[in-house]
């Protein structure tokens, strides 16, 4: 039998809680570490739909990227979203473990998946952070060279094929035929790294949740737009889902006795678009 605490130990070796930002809320959120676990389900967000799906099988540990209680809560009745998540999981003797900015800094986390997708050479972090005695520690975001020259449009198409389909799709600025070789990427919300990516001398910066004013001011920072990095923006959920299959593979290897699945449910809040 496998207890939740065994799985937690493995996860927190990959993604130590000390790597998380001070404001973050990571680790075991729900459940008894001594409870037996039968299934591991991986998702970006601990939504009500995910909790209900997890509760279909008793003893499911939901492993989510985003925290359930990032802003805290004073009441958790089953009639509210977060309360429903807690009720569903605990009623089925399941649990919830969240790994957020700690997994963002890992080569086995969100940034590692993007380095692999883009096949970045000599990848370095956009924000290195403190040196860590761990081969899996990387840092936030990445910058590196593509194996061969490409275009903004080709990279956008590559991303579109690799991530789950969303109503927004994959957006880019400027000419789709613009040549790119040096690329920066920050999974999740990354407009705070616009200047860092520009200073790194990249041709293209890939991230999510780009707001109108920061993106426009970035493009207008020089009269010649071709001298500032092009931008690719994709939905937050899609950008961070990329690492889940890799984590699932690691978990299957470590716990062959457990059922391990990656959620196919979308937690992107937007489900349609009018063109």
């Amino acid at each position: 039998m496998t207890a939740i605490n065994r799985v937690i130990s493995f996860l927190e070796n990959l993604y130590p809680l000390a790597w998380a930002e001070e404001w973050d809320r990571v680790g075991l959120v729900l459940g008894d570490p001594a409870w037996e676990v039968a299934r591991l389900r991986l998702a970006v967000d601990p939504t009500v739909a995910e909790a209900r799906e997890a509760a279909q099988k008793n003893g499911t540990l939901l492993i989510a990227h985003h925290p359930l209680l990032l802003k805290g809560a004073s009441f958790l009745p089953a009639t509210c979203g977060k309360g429903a998540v807690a009720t569903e999981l605990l009623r089925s003797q399941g649990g919830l473990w969240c790994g957020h900015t700690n997994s963002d800094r890992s080569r086995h986390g969100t940034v590692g998946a993007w380095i692999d997708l883009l096949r970045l050479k000599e990848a370095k972090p956009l924000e290195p952070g403190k040196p860590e005695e761990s081969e899996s520690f990387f840092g936030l975001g990445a910058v590196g060279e593509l194996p061969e020259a490409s275009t903004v449009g080709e990279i956008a198409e590559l991303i579109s094929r690799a991530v789950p389909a969303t109503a927004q799709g994959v957006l880019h600025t400027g000419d789709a035929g613009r040549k790119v070789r040096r690329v920066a990427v920050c999974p999740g919300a990354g407009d705070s790294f616009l200047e860092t990516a520009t200073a790194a001398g990249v041709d293209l910066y890939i991230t999510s949740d780009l707001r109108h004013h920061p993106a426009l001011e970035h493009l207008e920072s020089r009269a010649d737009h071709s001298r500032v990095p092009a931008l690719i923006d994709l939905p937050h959920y899609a950008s961070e889902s990329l690492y889940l299959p890799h984590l699932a593979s690691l978990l299957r290897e470590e716990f062959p006795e457990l059922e391990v699945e990656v959620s196919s449910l979308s937690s992107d809040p937007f489900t349609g678009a009018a063109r």
Side-chain angles (χ1 to χ4, degrees), residues 85-100:
V85 170
T87 300
E88 292 282 355
L89 292 175
L90 295 178
R91 181 182 287 157
S92 61
Q93 284 201 306
L96 171 64
W97 184 91
C98 299
H100 189 209

Side-chain angles (χ1 to χ4, degrees), residues 246-257:
H246 174 65
L247 175 56
S249 296
L250 296 176
L251 289 166
R252 290 188 186 107
E253 182 178 350
E254 183 70 17
F255 303 103
E257 73 278 12

Side-chain angles (χ1 to χ4, degrees), residues 177-274:
R178 177 179 171 177
K179 296 291 185 181
V180 296
R181 186 65 184 262
R182 187 167 172 81
V183 175
V185 59
C186 178
D191 61 13
S192 62
F193 284 127
L194 278 167
E195 291 186 10
T196 305
T198 302
V202 301
D203 306 307
L204 172 66
Y205 179 44
I206 304 163
T207 191
S208 299
D209 298 345
L210 284 174
R211 293 171 295 157
H212 174 87
H213 292 296
L216 187 60
E217 288 172 5
H218 163 81
L219 295 174
E220 294 287 303
S221 62
R222 294 185 183 182
D224 182 357
H225 290 184
S226 67
R227 299 187 64 192
V228 297
L231 303 174
I232 284 181
D233 179 82
L234 70 156
H236 196 122
Y237 148 76
S239 78
E240 294 185 327
S241 68
L242 204 58
Y243 86 107
L244 296 181
H246 174 65
L247 175 56
S249 296
L250 296 176
L251 289 166
R252 290 188 186 107
E253 182 178 350
E254 183 70 17
F255 303 103
E257 73 278 12
L258 298 180
E259 179 184 346
V260 179
E261 63 183 18
V262 176
S263 172
S264 61
L265 299 177
S266 173
S267 56
D268 187 64
F270 302 102
T271 58

